């Protein structure tokens, strides 16, 4: 059942209006006017989202806003419609709420940059496309928002268009995302062929009664192609390489796009498609394994990075892996829960890093910092809270969401994935507090660090707001085993599918442990297992605290430890510092080989030899025939008489031959 809510269009329309005003008229306006337009339109969108949350009655029945008919081709129809259910409501609140704080922060951070109006035009346009993505009523409109945020990401990453590294990073993000989008496009075509539509209601209903695939069938292929798109947008192995380089853009861009919104679009799409994924154990296993590999892989790289934004970039890749791990083991609500809490503390970490960079006169190397906790105390305290949250220390937000994912992995029969996630939790705590200690503790290691000063209130107030959310944001999802009511899980229940019991049969057939495999949004353990869940929560806390303790010993108590370890394990350190040489490998396997094939085969062989040869051959033939015909037009009567005689003889000869036959 669906009901109509005719006001959803206001949400994306508000930031689009801001983008239009700043884009067309901002060049001649003051910076206060530009910032006011950009912030007010996003702020109004947030207030309207809050209003809808309390008045629209979001629950079991989705609310649909049919704006206009869009595409009609034979039996296929796609309307321009917006879709409000608990999942899209949550995403709208996160996007507009965190987005508003980042817009306010950016008015000060970008105050002295050229292209101020252009920056906020792009930022508002990004908000429009992101809201279109999360509110879309069908996969086709979701894809429009999907491509729109990709375009805005390209524009914002390459905002400093005179900086060569920023130009390259923007193109890299654009190209890598197109690889994932190819899979998404094929998935949509297969969905049309299977369900005859791309509307969520029709598609989910078509797959509702479909049997669980015990092998690789149409549903599995669709889900794997969707996951290919998600890997590109959400920077998962092997398409993660664009996100670390995206740090070339302004820091508010990193906070908005690469922490709170765009990179989570792939997780949102997988959760939105849970009704399809639950029909394919193979696809869900792939999602979980890719998520686990990504979170471990990126965390190991983050251990040794020296640029403060790059540490956060690899942390983002790793945390996104956690979200996919949760979805893959069937805990869709846990994956979305971590998406929300991650938006709070990772946006805070990026904005805090921006405050540090401003205080350091745009120095990003942590080796040049040190002793900043007394120079910029507000930034230090807020980043400390964010580091505790991402490390999974209770009662901060990250503890509840990360713990739910790890418990679901174990409880749903994936002990190896639980082990990988737990090891990653320890590494996360270590490298995040390594960042904190190198940046804020010890003595200043440069003149900039010696003379650093706190950022203005337009930057610190958003930090404080996000810090509060990083502390309390997880309390709405406290599981029953820890004394809560699992309110977050119950809120999302109407939007997410449950894995059917047939998965257990699949598990037995594949030799896996059939312990409740897997149930998305599993009912929080009833009195049968509260002790086990509490034990695993304690284990997770001990692992996180151990990572913090090791970082404290290595960078505060014995600050020479890090240098000794890097010298002792020089080979491994260089591999991690150079990110496993994946970029270099991709350059050899794909970039150089593609360039060589394009140059030698497509250019020289096909273009020059075949296409140009054919075109030039036709021209040469026409020229030769024209040259021969020109001999007949000499202007001399004797020449014309000779040609007439020649023609007459030829005609007579032809007639004789015909008569002879």
């Amino acid at each position: 059942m669906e009901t109509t809510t005719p006001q959803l269009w206001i949400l994306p329309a508000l930031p689009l209006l801001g983008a239009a005003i700043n884009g067309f008229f901002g060049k001649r306006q003051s910076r206060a006017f530009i910032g006011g337009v950009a912030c007010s339109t996003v702020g109004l969108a947030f207030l309207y989202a809050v209003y809808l949350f309390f008045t629209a009655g979001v629950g079991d029945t989705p609310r649909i806003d049919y704006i206009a008919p869009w595409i009609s081709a034979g039996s296929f129809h796609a309307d321009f419609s917006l879709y409000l259910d608990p999942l899209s409501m949550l995403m709208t609140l996160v996007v507009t709420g965190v987005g508003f704080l980042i817009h306010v922060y950016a008015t000060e951070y970008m105050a002295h940059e050229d292209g101020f109006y252009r920056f906020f035009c792009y930022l508002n346009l990004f908000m429009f496309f992101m809201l279109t993505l999360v509110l879309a009523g069908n996969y086709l409109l979701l894809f429009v928002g999907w491509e729109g945020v990709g375009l805005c990401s390209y524009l914002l990453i390459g905002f400093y268009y005179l900086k060569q590294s920023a130009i390259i990073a923007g193109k890299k993000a654009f190209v890598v995302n197109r690889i994932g989008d190819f899979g998404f496009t094929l998935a949509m075509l297969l969905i049309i062929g299977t369900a005859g539509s791309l509307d969520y209601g029709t598609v989910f209903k078509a797959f509702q009664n479909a049997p669980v695939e015990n092998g690789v069938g149409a549903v599995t292929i669709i889900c794997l192609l969707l996951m290919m798109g998600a890997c590109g947008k959400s920077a998962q192995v092997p398409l993660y390489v664009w996100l670390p380089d995206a740090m070339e853009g302004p820091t508010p861009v990193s906070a908005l796009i690469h922490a709170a919104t765009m990179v989570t679009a792939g997780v949102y799409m997988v959760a939105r498609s849970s009704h399809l994924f639950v029909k394919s154990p193979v696809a869900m296993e792939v999602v979980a394994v890719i998520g686990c590999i990504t979170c471990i892989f990126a965390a190991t790289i983050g251990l040794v990075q020296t640029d403060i934004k790059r540490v956060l970039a690899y942390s983002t890749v790793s945390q996104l892996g956690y979200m996919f791990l949760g979805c893959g083991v069937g805990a869709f609500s846990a994956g979305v829960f971590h998406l929300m809490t991650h938006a709070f503390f990772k946006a805070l970490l990026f904005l805090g890093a921006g405050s540090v960079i401003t205080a350091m006169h745009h120095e990003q190397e942590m080796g040049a910092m040190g002793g900043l906790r007394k120079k910029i105390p507000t930034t230090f305290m807020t980043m400390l809270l964010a580091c505790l949250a991402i490390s999974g220390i209770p009662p901060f937000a990250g503890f509840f969401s990360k713990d739910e994912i790890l418990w679901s992995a174990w409880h749903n029969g994936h002990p190896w994935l639980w082990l990988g996630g737990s090891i990653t939790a320890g590494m996360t705590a270590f490298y995040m507090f390594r960042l904190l200690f190198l940046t804020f503790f010890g003595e200043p290691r440069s003149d900039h660090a010696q003379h650093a000063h706190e950022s203005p209130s337009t930057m610190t107030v958003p930090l404080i707001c996000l810090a509060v959310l990083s502390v309390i944001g997880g309390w709405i999802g406290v599981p029953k085993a820890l004394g809560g009511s699992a309110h977050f899980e119950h809120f999302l229940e109407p939007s997410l599918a449950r894995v059917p019991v047939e998965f257990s049969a699949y598990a037995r057939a594949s030799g896996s442990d059939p312990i409740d495999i897997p149930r998305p949004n599993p009912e929080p353990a009833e009195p049968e297992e509260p002790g086990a869940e509490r034990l695993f929560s304690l284990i997770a806390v001990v692992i996180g605290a151990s990572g913090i303790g090791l970082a404290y010993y290595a960078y505060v108590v014995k600050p020479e430890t890090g240098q000794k370890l890097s010298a002792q394990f020089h080979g491994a350190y260089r591999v991690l510092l150079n990110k496993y040489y994946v970029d270099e490998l991709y350059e050899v396997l794909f970039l150089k080989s593609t360039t060589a094939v394009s140059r030698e085969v497509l250019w020289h062989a096909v273009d020059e030899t075949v296409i140009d040869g054919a075109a030039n051959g036709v021209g040469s033939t026409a020229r030769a025939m024209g040259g021969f015909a020109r001999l007949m037009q000499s202007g001399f009567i004797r020449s014309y008489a000779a040609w007439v005689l020649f023609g007459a003889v030829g005609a007579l000869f032809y007639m004789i031959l015909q008569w002879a036959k």
Side-chain angles (χ1 to χ4, degrees), residues 619-634 643:
S620 300
T621 302
R623 184 184 303 148
M625 294 177 64
F628 177 75
R630 187 176 58 188
L631 297 176
M632 300 172 60
Q633 302 294 326
S634 64
W643 282 110

Side-chain angles (χ1 to χ4, degrees), residues 54-80:
F54 288 107
T55 62
V58 178
D60 294 340
T61 304
R63 304 284 178 163
I64 310 296
D65 184 359
Y66 292 102
I67 298 174
W70 186 16
I71 296 175
S72 180
S75 60
F76 174 77
H77 301 277
D79 294 322
F80 197 95

Side-chain angles (χ1 to χ4, degrees), residues 146 176-177 180 227-236 239 242 262:
W146 186 277
V176 172
N177 273 273
M227 184 56 188
M228 179 179 174
C231 283
K233 193 65 69 183
S234 293
Q236 296 295 284
L239 301 179
W242 67 270
M262 173 182 151

Side-chain angles (χ1 to χ4, degrees), residues 150-205:
L151 169 64
C152 293
S153 177
Y154 164 75
L155 295 172
L156 287 165
I157 293 169
F159 178 76
Y160 299 123
Y161 57 86
L162 297 179
K163 186 179 178 183
Q164 187 64 26
S165 58
I167 297 171
I168 295 173
K171 290 191 293 185
K172 187 175 185 179
F174 192 83
V175 171
V176 172
N177 273 273
R178 298 294 74 72
I179 296 171
D181 294 348
F182 176 70
F184 195 172
T185 304
L186 292 179
M188 287 194 295
L189 294 175
L190 287 175
I191 291 173
I192 294 173
T194 304
S197 175
L198 290 175
D199 288 336
Y200 293 150
T202 305
V203 172
F204 299 159
K205 185 177 180 180

Side-chain angles (χ1 to χ4, degrees), residues 386-439:
C387 288
L388 290 169
I390 195 174
S391 300
I393 303 300
F396 301 96
F399 163 72
F400 297 104
S401 57
K402 188 180 292 186
D403 179 70
E404 189 68 21
I405 291 173
L406 293 176
W407 167 246
S408 298
W410 177 272
H411 181 65
N412 294 340
H414 299 277
W416 289 107
L417 298 181
W418 169 84
L419 180 61
S422 298
I423 293 172
T424 302
M427 289 191 290
T428 301
F430 178 84
Y431 67 67
M432 288 310 306
F433 275 85
R434 169 180 176 265
L435 178 152
L436 192 79
F437 295 141
L438 285 175
T439 303

Side-chain angles (χ1 to χ4, degrees), residues 230-253:
C231 283
K233 193 65 69 183
S234 293
Q236 296 295 284
V237 171
L239 301 179
Y240 73 95
V241 291
W242 67 270
L243 194 146
D245 289 352
M247 298 303 108
E248 294 291 340
T251 300
V253 172

Side-chain angles (χ1 to χ4, degrees), residues 115-137:
F116 189 80
Y117 82 97
R118 179 167 54 90
F119 176 81
F120 280 100
C121 173
Y122 294 163
L123 218 57
N124 273 182
L125 188 62
F126 172 84
M127 294 294 293
F128 162 72
F129 280 120
M130 190 66 199
L131 288 170
T132 300
L133 189 157
V134 300
L135 288 169

